[in-house]
Amino acid sequence: MAYIDHHGFDWTHPSVAFPLIGNICGDIPFPDGIVRCSDAFNAGVKLGLHELLAKIADESEDEARKLSPLLQWSMLEATRVAIEMAEIYRTAKEVDEPPPPLSTALDKRASSTVELCEWAVRHLIGGNHPVHQRCFELGRWGAAFFSEWLDELERHAFLVAHADVLADSLRGMLVPILAKFQPFDIEPERTCALRGFFRRIEVDSADTLAAQSQQIRSISASDLLSAFRDHGASWLDEVVPAVLHTVGELPDMALDWGGMKESILKIFESGCRWPAIMLSQNGRYGVGMVDEPLRSLLVPVQDPNIEVYFLDQKAVASFWVKMTWSELQNRLSPST
């Protein structure tokens, strides 16, 4: 990110440390560069809360003074989202317009967040994914209720004022989904989160679901929104495909081949004969193992000093390929 170099920030600065700690802990806004319904919703909540706080702070100096600490924290959360959006733009062919930068300037902090939200809907998600767009917008406009950063009284006051509008948006998303999918025909282990959400709104069978899809408006706005807050959008991930982008050629990276090979040897020595190098949708490299169900179909690695499995998740239909280290290095370092 250009601002890090421009201001001379290092890893001890909050703007660097906070996103870094999140990545180390696995709390990444868009894991592997893929936009799921839950990712879109959570990103909407983070950006929406910062947008809301910035607009309130702009109303008066007194509000700005009281909200200053919270605004600094919400800016860090929004920055984490912005960084991941910029990474997806850097690697995705379909996203041809860069995300607008966030600003801490008093006259731009609210408007820059609005512009980033609009970019996310139009470019990161796109018009071919209306459910993901609705998830993002629901999180954005309902951030004061869905976020855990405000106390219960503040969330309740916001809900009383905005429940009907938010619930109508949620119903508009749910009705076509309920009409299209029959989750009770899918194996329970594949729809655990979805069934949990349905139980929360008292739908426990296919017959009830068929009736409820036509009478979804009978559920009170507060009950419907509370159920969605408790379960988030993770249940939608079980029935709505994620937003996938076509990833172009990645810029050369200084890969630690020695470190990756050492990790592969340790995996092999621990007893797994299918160690693997993995390239994620967003250009991140990692070390792991071939998925266990596929191991019976794939020939094990004989000598990890010579060969290793490779998974390229940039392709929508990704698959495992066994390659020599030299073949893999040539593939991942096109300029060498």
Side-chain angles (χ1 to χ4, degrees):
M1 304 297 285
Y3 74 91
I4 294 176
D5 181 61
H6 177 74
H7 294 288
F9 295 163
D10 65 8
W11 66 270
T12 63
H13 192 279
S15 294
V16 180
F18 197 64
L20 182 61
I21 290 171
N23 284 358
I24 291 172
C25 296
D27 181 17
I28 301 171
F30 306 102
D32 298 327
I34 297 172
V35 183
R36 301 169 181 82
C37 290
S38 58
D39 303 323
F41 173 71
N42 292 331
V45 171
K46 289 180 172 62
L47 292 178
L49 184 64
H50 184 66
E51 176 187 356
L52 174 65
L53 295 174
K55 287 180 176 179
I56 295 174
D58 288 346
E59 294 175 359
S60 71
E61 292 184 5
D62 185 52
E63 290 291 345
R65 184 175 61 257
K66 290 189 292 186
L67 289 175
S68 177
L70 190 55
L71 263 170
Q72 292 183 50
W73 279 105
S74 66
M75 178 63 183
L76 290 174
E77 284 282 13
T79 299
R80 290 209 302 137
V81 174
I83 289 173
E84 292 301 313
M85 288 180 171
E87 283 297 292
I88 293 175
Y89 158 73
R90 186 176 68 90
T91 60
K93 286 185 178 180
E94 294 88 349
V95 187
D96 54 6
E97 182 175 318
L102 289 171
S103 176
T104 56
L106 298 184
D107 60 336
K108 293 181 180 179
R109 59 188 176 188
S111 61
S112 67
T113 311
V114 171
E115 290 171 2
L116 183 58
C117 288
E118 293 174 348
W119 176 90
V121 172
R122 290 198 307 267
H123 299 283
L124 179 73
I125 299 173
N128 293 329
H129 304 279
V131 175
H132 298 76
Q133 288 181 327
R134 281 181 177 267
C135 283
F136 180 87
E137 294 287 15
L138 183 65
R140 176 189 178 188
W141 299 117
F145 175 67
F146 294 120
S147 174
E148 298 297 327
W149 283 32
L150 304 181
D151 63 34
E152 190 62 37
L153 287 177
E154 291 171 313
R155 290 205 299 266
H156 179 72
F158 180 88
L159 182 62
V160 170
H162 301 91
D164 289 337
V165 173
L166 291 173
D168 283 345
S169 175
L170 179 53
R171 291 184 183 110
M173 178 176 64
L174 288 179
V175 170
I177 292 175
L178 298 181
K180 180 177 181 179
F181 296 103
Q182 292 297 329
F184 291 98
D185 294 337
I186 305 174
E187 298 88 341
E189 59 271 14
R190 290 178 52 194
T191 56
C192 293
L194 184 143
R195 289 168 185 257
F197 173 76
F198 281 155
R199 285 193 298 271
R200 183 72 164 72
I201 60 174
E202 298 183 353
V203 175
D204 55 10
S205 69
D207 292 338
T208 310
L209 176 60
Q212 196 70 24
S213 64
Q214 301 301 321
Q215 302 172 15
I216 194 72
R217 297 187 183 279
S218 65
I219 304 173
S220 73
S222 59
D223 287 346
L224 188 61
L225 291 168
S226 295
F228 198 85
R229 188 188 70 180
D230 293 345
H231 290 271
S234 60
W235 60 273
L236 284 169
D237 298 340
E238 297 177 340
V239 291
V240 180
V243 177
L244 298 174
H245 297 107
T246 304
V247 181
E249 288 298 324
L250 297 173
D252 288 352
M253 299 178 68
L255 299 180
D256 182 8
W257 289 101
M260 288 199 295
K261 193 168 186 178
E262 183 180 348
S263 297
I264 290 296
L265 289 173
K266 288 180 179 178
I267 292 174
F268 187 85
E269 291 167 359
S270 71
C272 177
R273 298 297 184 260
W274 293 267
I277 303 293
M278 294 171 285
L279 174 59
S280 298
Q281 174 90 5
N282 60 353
R284 282 195 177 92
Y285 293 91
V287 175
M289 298 174 281
V290 172
D291 293 337
E292 193 166 351
L294 298 177
R295 295 178 192 176
S296 61
L297 305 175
L298 299 175
V299 178
V301 168
Q302 298 299 319
D303 185 349
N305 289 294
I306 299 175
E307 60 186 8
V308 66
Y309 271 98
F310 174 60
L311 176 65
D312 186 351
Q313 293 179 310
K314 292 191 304 175
V316 174
S318 58
F319 54 91
W320 303 89
V321 179
K322 190 165 66 169
M323 308 176 74
T324 65
W325 282 100
S326 59
E327 289 172 339
L328 181 59
Q329 190 162 357
N330 288 334
R331 177 165 180 169
L332 299 184
S333 303
S335 66
T336 59

